[in-house]
Amino acid sequence: MRKGGAEHNSLPAVILAAGQGSRLRKNHRGVPKPLIKILGLSLLERTILACRAAGATEFYVVVGYEKEKVAAHAKTIGRRYRIPIHIVENPDWEEGNGVSALAAAAHLNGHEVFLLTMCDHLFDPDIPELLLHAGAHTDTCLLAVDRRIDRVFDLDDATKVQIDGREITAIGKDLPSYNGIDTGIFLCRPSIFDALSRAREHGDGSLSDGVRELISRGGIQAIEIGERFWIDVDTPESLAYARRLLLARLAKPRGDGIISRRINRPISRRISSLLALTPLTPNAISVLSFLLCLLGAWLFASGDYLRTGAAGLLVQLASIVDGCDGEIARLKFQATRFGAWFDTILDRYADAVIVGGITYGYWRTHPDVLAWPAGLLAIVGFILYSYTKKEFQVRYGHELNEYRLYQRIPASRDVRLFLIFLGALVGQPFAAMVLAGLLAHAAVWLGFADVYRRTRETAAGSPR
């Protein structure tokens, strides 16, 4: 596999899950810390899946406290996701997390680099990817460091670091002067084990003690994580805060329309927080959204005012639920290209049946032959809007949303369905559908005009 410009036959990840975690266990009826769940996944499961998303191919889970339960859970994760997970027992886990890391040394012979982190640290997979990229240009160990000191949830308990550029000059929880926070995410080389052994000989068993040994010989550097997400979950309060952060990160600033941002997403996040506790997959949720649209289309086709109002509510609910499939995919590391493609296909079919139901219902009460061309105009606009965006991105390599004229017309799917919802509430779904269709056509052609103008300007400025 290829990561960060370097070739690796395999990339191991060592996950430390040997500690007692007493502050968190007391509020979870004695459940071992690695098994405590947040939004449907255990802490250990989230850590393993984040490392896998970053490129890790095999996992070494170090167990100690309640090792049988933690090991059994780790093996279950391995079977569920079909990934190789090896159990490393540390009988001396009470000496510190550095000793737990040292227990994995005998299992990593032949590996020049590996990821190392704790099972109670939640993080964006971009962080280990960042370490891997930087690791291709150095032969030292690397520690991901967060400069956003004011955003750390429990600063008193955090491990502080003093850095000068990429050089780490000091580390510890009680540093009097520091300018960064240790995230507990490492890209390590075998030199870490020698440093941990030396620290243990001095009676020091923590990872920080091993890092201090590396600092003394210039064997570790800091990599700043920028705005990337991570949190250390040690207490019930930090667990609740982590849950809020995970849900808050579900929004798509560049992909959400105005209705999604202001109305749909705040509701869908709450729904997703419940769906995350179920076995429902993102694809199943996509189907659920489609079925709501089918039911709404059937009610629209009746032409009855009360049924039309109910249809509008169903369509808006479908629009909200349509955001949940992506949210669950991101929350539970289930995002796939197939799932995104499947969702897009179902959305286009849903648009077609909604337009068909509204047009037929209008034609039943207003038998005018022009109803059908108007419906055709609407569905062509809906499909063309989506197709144009995706085709533009394929051809040009960036988003059509970057063009101002295109942005001025609110015609994204969330806006179209919301207009239909409002129209249904006042008994005018057909008029709302036609308006949505016209907006879609206007956005397409204004976007085309903007691209054409810029293309001409670029051509005029090019040397002949």
Side-chain angles (χ1 to χ4, degrees), residues 64-97:
Y65 180 76
E66 295 205 31
K67 61 182 182 182
E68 293 84 5
K69 291 182 180 179
V70 178
H73 181 58
K75 291 176 182 177
T76 299
I77 295 171
R79 289 192 297 269
R80 181 180 303 153
Y81 297 100
R82 298 180 181 179
I83 51 180
I85 296 180
H86 312 283
I87 305 302
V88 179
E89 293 189 18
N90 174 25
D92 302 315
W93 60 269
E94 290 180 286
E95 290 186 39
N97 56 4

PDB file of all heavy atoms in Angstrom, residues 64-97:
ATOM      1  N   GLY A  64      -4.680  -5.510  29.519  1.00  0.00           N
ATOM      2  CA  GLY A  64      -4.158  -5.697  30.873  1.00  0.00           C
ATOM      3  C   GLY A  64      -5.302  -5.848  31.845  1.00  0.00           C
ATOM      4  O   GLY A  64      -5.718  -6.950  32.190  1.00  0.00           O
ATOM      5  N   TYR A  65      -5.885  -4.727  32.270  1.00  0.00           N
ATOM      6  CA  TYR A  65      -7.027  -4.757  33.190  1.00  0.00           C
ATOM      7  C   TYR A  65      -8.223  -5.410  32.488  1.00  0.00           C
ATOM      8  O   TYR A  65      -8.569  -5.043  31.360  1.00  0.00           O
ATOM      9  CB  TYR A  65      -7.356  -3.339  33.630  1.00  0.00           C
ATOM     10  CG  TYR A  65      -8.526  -3.259  34.583  1.00  0.00           C
ATOM     11  CD1 TYR A  65      -8.379  -3.616  35.921  1.00  0.00           C
ATOM     12  CD2 TYR A  65      -9.775  -2.838  34.131  1.00  0.00           C
ATOM     13  CE1 TYR A  65      -9.453  -3.552  36.793  1.00  0.00           C
ATOM     14  CE2 TYR A  65     -10.845  -2.761  34.997  1.00  0.00           C
ATOM     15  CZ  TYR A  65     -10.688  -3.123  36.330  1.00  0.00           C
ATOM     16  OH  TYR A  65     -11.754  -3.059  37.192  1.00  0.00           O
ATOM     17  N   GLU A  66      -8.834  -6.396  33.158  1.00  0.00           N
ATOM     18  CA  GLU A  66      -9.957  -7.151  32.597  1.00  0.00           C
ATOM     19  C   GLU A  66      -9.637  -7.606  31.171  1.00  0.00           C
ATOM     20  O   GLU A  66     -10.402  -7.405  30.225  1.00  0.00           O
ATOM     21  CB  GLU A  66     -11.251  -6.328  32.652  1.00  0.00           C
ATOM     22  CG  GLU A  66     -11.708  -6.040  34.064  1.00  0.00           C
ATOM     23  CD  GLU A  66     -13.199  -5.786  34.180  1.00  0.00           C
ATOM     24  OE1 GLU A  66     -13.962  -6.373  33.382  1.00  0.00           O
ATOM     25  OE2 GLU A  66     -13.592  -5.010  35.049  1.00  0.00           O
ATOM     26  N   LYS A  67      -8.487  -8.233  31.039  1.00  0.00           N
ATOM     27  CA  LYS A  67      -7.971  -8.575  29.711  1.00  0.00           C
ATOM     28  C   LYS A  67      -8.885  -9.521  28.931  1.00  0.00           C
ATOM     29  O   LYS A  67      -8.957  -9.429  27.700  1.00  0.00           O
ATOM     30  CB  LYS A  67      -6.579  -9.186  29.837  1.00  0.00           C
ATOM     31  CG  LYS A  67      -6.534 -10.480  30.650  1.00  0.00           C
ATOM     32  CD  LYS A  67      -5.112 -10.997  30.770  1.00  0.00           C
ATOM     33  CE  LYS A  67      -5.069 -12.308  31.543  1.00  0.00           C
ATOM     34  NZ  LYS A  67      -3.679 -12.802  31.699  1.00  0.00           N
ATOM     35  N   GLU A  68      -9.585 -10.434  29.620  1.00  0.00           N
ATOM     36  CA  GLU A  68     -10.442 -11.381  28.909  1.00  0.00           C
ATOM     37  C   GLU A  68     -11.573 -10.659  28.179  1.00  0.00           C
ATOM     38  O   GLU A  68     -11.865 -10.938  27.007  1.00  0.00           O
ATOM     39  CB  GLU A  68     -11.027 -12.426  29.873  1.00  0.00           C
ATOM     40  CG  GLU A  68     -10.002 -13.376  30.472  1.00  0.00           C
ATOM     41  CD  GLU A  68      -9.310 -12.792  31.683  1.00  0.00           C
ATOM     42  OE1 GLU A  68      -9.693 -11.682  32.105  1.00  0.00           O
ATOM     43  OE2 GLU A  68      -8.383 -13.444  32.222  1.00  0.00           O
ATOM     44  N   LYS A  69     -12.207  -9.703  28.857  1.00  0.00           N
ATOM     45  CA  LYS A  69     -13.325  -8.980  28.239  1.00  0.00           C
ATOM     46  C   LYS A  69     -12.845  -8.102  27.081  1.00  0.00           C
ATOM     47  O   LYS A  69     -13.468  -8.049  26.027  1.00  0.00           O
ATOM     48  CB  LYS A  69     -14.032  -8.116  29.285  1.00  0.00           C
ATOM     49  CG  LYS A  69     -14.802  -8.888  30.340  1.00  0.00           C
ATOM     50  CD  LYS A  69     -15.503  -7.942  31.306  1.00  0.00           C
ATOM     51  CE  LYS A  69     -16.270  -8.707  32.372  1.00  0.00           C
ATOM     52  NZ  LYS A  69     -16.939  -7.783  33.341  1.00  0.00           N
ATOM     53  N   VAL A  70     -11.739  -7.403  27.309  1.00  0.00           N
ATOM     54  CA  VAL A  70     -11.227  -6.511  26.265  1.00  0.00           C
ATOM     55  C   VAL A  70     -10.743  -7.313  25.066  1.00  0.00           C
ATOM     56  O   VAL A  70     -11.013  -6.961  23.914  1.00  0.00           O
ATOM     57  CB  VAL A  70     -10.100  -5.622  26.819  1.00  0.00           C
ATOM     58  CG1 VAL A  70      -9.541  -4.728  25.716  1.00  0.00           C
ATOM     59  CG2 VAL A  70     -10.617  -4.764  27.979  1.00  0.00           C
ATOM     60  N   ALA A  71     -10.057  -8.415  25.323  1.00  0.00           N
ATOM     61  CA  ALA A  71      -9.567  -9.251  24.226  1.00  0.00           C
ATOM     62  C   ALA A  71     -10.727  -9.838  23.424  1.00  0.00           C
ATOM     63  O   ALA A  71     -10.682  -9.878  22.190  1.00  0.00           O
ATOM     64  CB  ALA A  71      -8.680 -10.372  24.777  1.00  0.00           C
ATOM     65  N   ALA A  72     -11.757 -10.300  24.112  1.00  0.00           N
ATOM     66  CA  ALA A  72     -12.917 -10.864  23.413  1.00  0.00           C
ATOM     67  C   ALA A  72     -13.588  -9.805  22.537  1.00  0.00           C
ATOM     68  O   ALA A  72     -13.999 -10.086  21.399  1.00  0.00           O
ATOM     69  CB  ALA A  72     -13.909 -11.421  24.430  1.00  0.00           C
ATOM     70  N   HIS A  73     -13.677  -8.586  23.055  1.00  0.00           N
ATOM     71  CA  HIS A  73     -14.285  -7.499  22.268  1.00  0.00           C
ATOM     72  C   HIS A  73     -13.417  -7.166  21.054  1.00  0.00           C
ATOM     73  O   HIS A  73     -13.937  -6.959  19.949  1.00  0.00           O
ATOM     74  CB  HIS A  73     -14.456  -6.268  23.141  1.00  0.00           C
ATOM     75  CG  HIS A  73     -15.079  -5.105  22.442  1.00  0.00           C
ATOM     76  ND1 HIS A  73     -16.324  -5.165  21.842  1.00  0.00           N
ATOM     77  CD2 HIS A  73     -14.626  -3.837  22.222  1.00  0.00           C
ATOM     78  CE1 HIS A  73     -16.613  -3.990  21.306  1.00  0.00           C
ATOM     79  NE2 HIS A  73     -15.593  -3.173  21.507  1.00  0.00           N
ATOM     80  N   ALA A  74     -12.111  -7.134  21.236  1.00  0.00           N
ATOM     81  CA  ALA A  74     -11.207  -6.845  20.121  1.00  0.00           C
ATOM     82  C   ALA A  74     -11.335  -7.908  19.031  1.00  0.00           C
ATOM     83  O   ALA A  74     -11.355  -7.589  17.828  1.00  0.00           O
ATOM     84  CB  ALA A  74      -9.767  -6.756  20.618  1.00  0.00           C
ATOM     85  N   LYS A  75     -11.444  -9.176  19.431  1.00  0.00           N
ATOM     86  CA  LYS A  75     -11.599 -10.255  18.455  1.00  0.00           C
ATOM     87  C   LYS A  75     -12.936 -10.139  17.712  1.00  0.00           C
ATOM     88  O   LYS A  75     -13.020 -10.431  16.509  1.00  0.00           O
ATOM     89  CB  LYS A  75     -11.486 -11.604  19.152  1.00  0.00           C
ATOM     90  CG  LYS A  75     -10.079 -11.905  19.662  1.00  0.00           C
ATOM     91  CD  LYS A  75     -10.038 -13.213  20.439  1.00  0.00           C
ATOM     92  CE  LYS A  75      -8.637 -13.486  20.981  1.00  0.00           C
ATOM     93  NZ  LYS A  75      -8.589 -14.718  21.810  1.00  0.00           N
ATOM     94  N   THR A  76     -13.965  -9.706  18.423  1.00  0.00           N
ATOM     95  CA  THR A  76     -15.265  -9.489  17.776  1.00  0.00           C
ATOM     96  C   THR A  76     -15.165  -8.396  16.715  1.00  0.00           C
ATOM     97  O   THR A  76     -15.726  -8.514  15.618  1.00  0.00           O
ATOM     98  CB  THR A  76     -16.331  -9.103  18.826  1.00  0.00           C
ATOM     99  OG1 THR A  76     -16.472 -10.174  19.761  1.00  0.00           O
ATOM    100  CG2 THR A  76     -17.672  -8.835  18.171  1.00  0.00           C
ATOM    101  N   ILE A  77     -14.443  -7.325  17.050  1.00  0.00           N
ATOM    102  CA  ILE A  77     -14.238  -6.242  16.075  1.00  0.00           C
ATOM    103  C   ILE A  77     -13.509  -6.780  14.849  1.00  0.00           C
ATOM    104  O   ILE A  77     -13.862  -6.467  13.701  1.00  0.00           O
ATOM    105  CB  ILE A  77     -13.441  -5.085  16.713  1.00  0.00           C
ATOM    106  CG1 ILE A  77     -14.256  -4.435  17.831  1.00  0.00           C
ATOM    107  CG2 ILE A  77     -13.056  -4.042  15.658  1.00  0.00           C
ATOM    108  CD1 ILE A  77     -13.463  -3.430  18.659  1.00  0.00           C
ATOM    109  N   GLY A  78     -12.493  -7.603  15.075  1.00  0.00           N
ATOM    110  CA  GLY A  78     -11.742  -8.176  13.970  1.00  0.00           C
ATOM    111  C   GLY A  78     -12.618  -9.010  13.046  1.00  0.00           C
ATOM    112  O   GLY A  78     -12.521  -8.911  11.820  1.00  0.00           O
ATOM    113  N   ARG A  79     -13.496  -9.826  13.623  1.00  0.00           N
ATOM    114  CA  ARG A  79     -14.397 -10.650  12.803  1.00  0.00           C
ATOM    115  C   ARG A  79     -15.416  -9.781  12.073  1.00  0.00           C
ATOM    116  O   ARG A  79     -15.722 -10.029  10.901  1.00  0.00           O
ATOM    117  CB  ARG A  79     -15.109 -11.674  13.689  1.00  0.00           C
ATOM    118  CG  ARG A  79     -14.202 -12.784  14.208  1.00  0.00           C
ATOM    119  CD  ARG A  79     -15.023 -13.898  14.828  1.00  0.00           C
ATOM    120  NE  ARG A  79     -15.773 -13.434  16.000  1.00  0.00           N
ATOM    121  CZ  ARG A  79     -15.304 -13.484  17.247  1.00  0.00           C
ATOM    122  NH1 ARG A  79     -14.085 -13.954  17.473  1.00  0.00           N
ATOM    123  NH2 ARG A  79     -16.040 -13.064  18.257  1.00  0.00           N
ATOM    124  N   ARG A  80     -15.933  -8.780  12.766  1.00  0.00           N
ATOM    125  CA  ARG A  80     -16.978  -7.942  12.167  1.00  0.00           C
ATOM    126  C   ARG A  80     -16.467  -7.203  10.944  1.00  0.00           C
ATOM    127  O   ARG A  80     -17.172  -7.092   9.940  1.00  0.00           O
ATOM    128  CB  ARG A  80     -17.488  -6.951  13.213  1.00  0.00           C
ATOM    129  CG  ARG A  80     -18.605  -6.029  12.722  1.00  0.00           C
ATOM    130  CD  ARG A  80     -19.031  -5.093  13.844  1.00  0.00           C
ATOM    131  NE  ARG A  80     -19.448  -5.846  15.016  1.00  0.00           N
ATOM    132  CZ  ARG A  80     -19.382  -5.391  16.267  1.00  0.00           C
ATOM    133  NH1 ARG A  80     -18.849  -4.192  16.507  1.00  0.00           N
ATOM    134  NH2 ARG A  80     -19.804  -6.123  17.266  1.00  0.00           N
ATOM    135  N   TYR A  81     -15.258  -6.699  11.021  1.00  0.00           N
ATOM    136  CA  TYR A  81     -14.721  -5.882   9.921  1.00  0.00           C
ATOM    137  C   TYR A  81     -13.685  -6.631   9.078  1.00  0.00           C
ATOM    138  O   TYR A  81     -13.115  -6.047   8.152  1.00  0.00           O
ATOM    139  CB  TYR A  81     -14.101  -4.602  10.481  1.00  0.00           C
ATOM    140  CG  TYR A  81     -15.102  -3.722  11.182  1.00  0.00           C
ATOM    141  CD1 TYR A  81     -15.201  -3.720  12.573  1.00  0.00           C
ATOM    142  CD2 TYR A  81     -15.966  -2.904  10.459  1.00  0.00           C
ATOM    143  CE1 TYR A  81     -16.132  -2.924  13.233  1.00  0.00           C
ATOM    144  CE2 TYR A  81     -16.896  -2.105  11.109  1.00  0.00           C
ATOM    145  CZ  TYR A  81     -16.971  -2.118  12.486  1.00  0.00           C
ATOM    146  OH  TYR A  81     -17.894  -1.315  13.133  1.00  0.00           O
ATOM    147  N   ARG A  82     -13.456  -7.892   9.411  1.00  0.00           N
ATOM    148  CA  ARG A  82     -12.516  -8.729   8.663  1.00  0.00           C
ATOM    149  C   ARG A  82     -11.121  -8.087   8.594  1.00  0.00           C
ATOM    150  O   ARG A  82     -10.550  -7.931   7.521  1.00  0.00           O
ATOM    151  CB  ARG A  82     -13.061  -9.003   7.253  1.00  0.00           C
ATOM    152  CG  ARG A  82     -14.371  -9.763   7.263  1.00  0.00           C
ATOM    153  CD  ARG A  82     -14.879 -10.023   5.870  1.00  0.00           C
ATOM    154  NE  ARG A  82     -16.151 -10.728   5.888  1.00  0.00           N
ATOM    155  CZ  ARG A  82     -16.848 -11.068   4.798  1.00  0.00           C
ATOM    156  NH1 ARG A  82     -16.373 -10.760   3.598  1.00  0.00           N
ATOM    157  NH2 ARG A  82     -17.992 -11.703   4.901  1.00  0.00           N
ATOM    158  N   ILE A  83     -10.643  -7.724   9.748  1.00  0.00           N
ATOM    159  CA  ILE A  83      -9.301  -7.138   9.832  1.00  0.00           C
ATOM    160  C   ILE A  83      -8.493  -7.927  10.864  1.00  0.00           C
ATOM    161  O   ILE A  83      -9.043  -8.412  11.858  1.00  0.00           O
ATOM    162  CB  ILE A  83      -9.345  -5.636  10.217  1.00  0.00           C
ATOM    163  CG1 ILE A  83     -10.195  -5.401  11.470  1.00  0.00           C
ATOM    164  CG2 ILE A  83      -9.879  -4.799   9.076  1.00  0.00           C
ATOM    165  CD1 ILE A  83     -10.275  -3.949  11.885  1.00  0.00           C
ATOM    166  N   PRO A  84      -7.189  -8.078  10.623  1.00  0.00           N
ATOM    167  CA  PRO A  84      -6.364  -8.857  11.553  1.00  0.00           C
ATOM    168  C   PRO A  84      -6.075  -8.087  12.841  1.00  0.00           C
ATOM    169  O   PRO A  84      -5.480  -7.012  12.804  1.00  0.00           O
ATOM    170  CB  PRO A  84      -5.070  -9.092  10.756  1.00  0.00           C
ATOM    171  CG  PRO A  84      -5.030  -7.984   9.751  1.00  0.00           C
ATOM    172  CD  PRO A  84      -6.452  -7.636   9.435  1.00  0.00           C
ATOM    173  N   ILE A  85      -6.535  -8.620  13.947  1.00  0.00           N
ATOM    174  CA  ILE A  85      -6.302  -8.016  15.258  1.00  0.00           C
ATOM    175  C   ILE A  85      -5.603  -9.032  16.153  1.00  0.00           C
ATOM    176  O   ILE A  85      -6.110 -10.135  16.366  1.00  0.00           O
ATOM    177  CB  ILE A  85      -7.616  -7.537  15.904  1.00  0.00           C
ATOM    178  CG1 ILE A  85      -8.242  -6.412  15.067  1.00  0.00           C
ATOM    179  CG2 ILE A  85      -7.376  -7.068  17.329  1.00  0.00           C
ATOM    180  CD1 ILE A  85      -9.534  -5.867  15.622  1.00  0.00           C
ATOM    181  N   HIS A  86      -4.435  -8.652  16.652  1.00  0.00           N
ATOM    182  CA  HIS A  86      -3.635  -9.521  17.522  1.00  0.00           C
ATOM    183  C   HIS A  86      -3.710  -8.988  18.958  1.00  0.00           C
ATOM    184  O   HIS A  86      -3.631  -7.778  19.184  1.00  0.00           O
ATOM    185  CB  HIS A  86      -2.188  -9.550  17.053  1.00  0.00           C
ATOM    186  CG  HIS A  86      -2.043  -9.777  15.572  1.00  0.00           C
ATOM    187  ND1 HIS A  86      -2.196 -11.013  14.991  1.00  0.00           N
ATOM    188  CD2 HIS A  86      -1.779  -8.907  14.552  1.00  0.00           C
ATOM    189  CE1 HIS A  86      -2.026 -10.915  13.688  1.00  0.00           C
ATOM    190  NE2 HIS A  86      -1.770  -9.646  13.390  1.00  0.00           N
ATOM    191  N   ILE A  87      -3.841  -9.892  19.876  1.00  0.00           N
ATOM    192  CA  ILE A  87      -3.921  -9.530  21.292  1.00  0.00           C
ATOM    193  C   ILE A  87      -2.539  -9.632  21.923  1.00  0.00           C
ATOM    194  O   ILE A  87      -1.860 -10.651  21.806  1.00  0.00           O
ATOM    195  CB  ILE A  87      -4.911 -10.428  22.047  1.00  0.00           C
ATOM    196  CG1 ILE A  87      -6.289 -10.394  21.369  1.00  0.00           C
ATOM    197  CG2 ILE A  87      -5.014  -9.984  23.499  1.00  0.00           C
ATOM    198  CD1 ILE A  87      -6.907  -9.008  21.266  1.00  0.00           C
ATOM    199  N   VAL A  88      -2.131  -8.549  22.592  1.00  0.00           N
ATOM    200  CA  VAL A  88      -0.847  -8.503  23.297  1.00  0.00           C
ATOM    201  C   VAL A  88      -1.138  -8.311  24.782  1.00  0.00           C
ATOM    202  O   VAL A  88      -1.736  -7.300  25.164  1.00  0.00           O
ATOM    203  CB  VAL A  88       0.028  -7.349  22.777  1.00  0.00           C
ATOM    204  CG1 VAL A  88       1.345  -7.303  23.555  1.00  0.00           C
ATOM    205  CG2 VAL A  88       0.294  -7.495  21.283  1.00  0.00           C
ATOM    206  N   GLU A  89      -0.754  -9.264  25.589  1.00  0.00           N
ATOM    207  CA  GLU A  89      -1.015  -9.168  27.026  1.00  0.00           C
ATOM    208  C   GLU A  89       0.139  -8.456  27.725  1.00  0.00           C
ATOM    209  O   GLU A  89       1.306  -8.725  27.460  1.00  0.00           O
ATOM    210  CB  GLU A  89      -1.218 -10.560  27.630  1.00  0.00           C
ATOM    211  CG  GLU A  89      -2.482 -11.245  27.151  1.00  0.00           C
ATOM    212  CD  GLU A  89      -2.772 -12.520  27.931  1.00  0.00           C
ATOM    213  OE1 GLU A  89      -2.198 -12.688  29.042  1.00  0.00           O
ATOM    214  OE2 GLU A  89      -3.551 -13.349  27.444  1.00  0.00           O
ATOM    215  N   ASN A  90      -0.223  -7.559  28.630  1.00  0.00           N
ATOM    216  CA  ASN A  90       0.771  -6.866  29.451  1.00  0.00           C
ATOM    217  C   ASN A  90       0.456  -7.122  30.923  1.00  0.00           C
ATOM    218  O   ASN A  90      -0.401  -6.446  31.502  1.00  0.00           O
ATOM    219  CB  ASN A  90       0.761  -5.362  29.164  1.00  0.00           C
ATOM    220  CG  ASN A  90       1.692  -4.605  30.107  1.00  0.00           C
ATOM    221  OD1 ASN A  90       2.647  -5.174  30.624  1.00  0.00           O
ATOM    222  ND2 ASN A  90       1.390  -3.334  30.339  1.00  0.00           N
ATOM    223  N   PRO A  91       1.134  -8.074  31.534  1.00  0.00           N
ATOM    224  CA  PRO A  91       0.852  -8.373  32.954  1.00  0.00           C
ATOM    225  C   PRO A  91       1.271  -7.242  33.882  1.00  0.00           C
ATOM    226  O   PRO A  91       0.815  -7.188  35.039  1.00  0.00           O
ATOM    227  CB  PRO A  91       1.676  -9.644  33.213  1.00  0.00           C
ATOM    228  CG  PRO A  91       2.768  -9.599  32.186  1.00  0.00           C
ATOM    229  CD  PRO A  91       2.167  -8.961  30.972  1.00  0.00           C
ATOM    230  N   ASP A  92       2.108  -6.341  33.386  1.00  0.00           N
ATOM    231  CA  ASP A  92       2.594  -5.238  34.221  1.00  0.00           C
ATOM    232  C   ASP A  92       1.927  -3.916  33.839  1.00  0.00           C
ATOM    233  O   ASP A  92       2.548  -2.852  33.914  1.00  0.00           O
ATOM    234  CB  ASP A  92       4.116  -5.116  34.071  1.00  0.00           C
ATOM    235  CG  ASP A  92       4.839  -6.390  34.444  1.00  0.00           C
ATOM    236  OD1 ASP A  92       4.491  -6.974  35.490  1.00  0.00           O
ATOM    237  OD2 ASP A  92       5.736  -6.809  33.681  1.00  0.00           O
ATOM    238  N   TRP A  93       0.658  -3.970  33.438  1.00  0.00           N
ATOM    239  CA  TRP A  93      -0.041  -2.786  32.929  1.00  0.00           C
ATOM    240  C   TRP A  93      -0.104  -1.659  33.954  1.00  0.00           C
ATOM    241  O   TRP A  93      -0.175  -0.480  33.598  1.00  0.00           O
ATOM    242  CB  TRP A  93      -1.446  -3.156  32.475  1.00  0.00           C
ATOM    243  CG  TRP A  93      -2.330  -3.738  33.544  1.00  0.00           C
ATOM    244  CD1 TRP A  93      -2.483  -5.052  33.859  1.00  0.00           C
ATOM    245  CD2 TRP A  93      -3.172  -3.015  34.447  1.00  0.00           C
ATOM    246  NE1 TRP A  93      -3.354  -5.207  34.902  1.00  0.00           N
ATOM    247  CE2 TRP A  93      -3.807  -3.973  35.277  1.00  0.00           C
ATOM    248  CE3 TRP A  93      -3.469  -1.672  34.634  1.00  0.00           C
ATOM    249  CZ2 TRP A  93      -4.720  -3.613  36.276  1.00  0.00           C
ATOM    250  CZ3 TRP A  93      -4.373  -1.312  35.625  1.00  0.00           C
ATOM    251  CH2 TRP A  93      -4.988  -2.266  36.429  1.00  0.00           C
ATOM    252  N   GLU A  94      -0.072  -2.010  35.245  1.00  0.00           N
ATOM    253  CA  GLU A  94      -0.170  -0.978  36.275  1.00  0.00           C
ATOM    254  C   GLU A  94       1.065  -0.075  36.340  1.00  0.00           C
ATOM    255  O   GLU A  94       1.017   1.003  36.928  1.00  0.00           O
ATOM    256  CB  GLU A  94      -0.412  -1.626  37.636  1.00  0.00           C
ATOM    257  CG  GLU A  94      -1.800  -2.251  37.761  1.00  0.00           C
ATOM    258  CD  GLU A  94      -2.022  -2.896  39.122  1.00  0.00           C
ATOM    259  OE1 GLU A  94      -1.460  -3.979  39.371  1.00  0.00           O
ATOM    260  OE2 GLU A  94      -2.758  -2.289  39.928  1.00  0.00           O
ATOM    261  N   GLU A  95       2.151  -0.482  35.695  1.00  0.00           N
ATOM    262  CA  GLU A  95       3.358   0.345  35.698  1.00  0.00           C
ATOM    263  C   GLU A  95       3.212   1.577  34.807  1.00  0.00           C
ATOM    264  O   GLU A  95       3.966   2.542  34.965  1.00  0.00           O
ATOM    265  CB  GLU A  95       4.563  -0.483  35.230  1.00  0.00           C
ATOM    266  CG  GLU A  95       4.999  -1.546  36.214  1.00  0.00           C
ATOM    267  CD  GLU A  95       6.283  -2.217  35.761  1.00  0.00           C
ATOM    268  OE1 GLU A  95       7.183  -1.508  35.228  1.00  0.00           O
ATOM    269  OE2 GLU A  95       6.400  -3.450  35.917  1.00  0.00           O
ATOM    270  N   GLY A  96       2.286   1.552  33.832  1.00  0.00           N
ATOM    271  CA  GLY A  96       2.089   2.720  32.981  1.00  0.00           C
ATOM    272  C   GLY A  96       1.897   2.360  31.520  1.00  0.00           C
ATOM    273  O   GLY A  96       2.180   1.230  31.090  1.00  0.00           O
ATOM    274  N   ASN A  97       1.415   3.336  30.757  1.00  0.00           N
ATOM    275  CA  ASN A  97       1.130   3.053  29.346  1.00  0.00           C
ATOM    276  C   ASN A  97       2.399   2.864  28.516  1.00  0.00           C
ATOM    277  O   ASN A  97       2.356   2.255  27.445  1.00  0.00           O
ATOM    278  CB  ASN A  97       0.237   4.135  28.731  1.00  0.00           C
ATOM    279  CG  ASN A  97       0.827   5.528  28.867  1.00  0.00           C
ATOM    280  OD1 ASN A  97       1.942   5.713  29.360  1.00  0.00           O
ATOM    281  ND2 ASN A  97       0.063   6.522  28.429  1.00  0.00           N
TER     282      ASN A  97
END
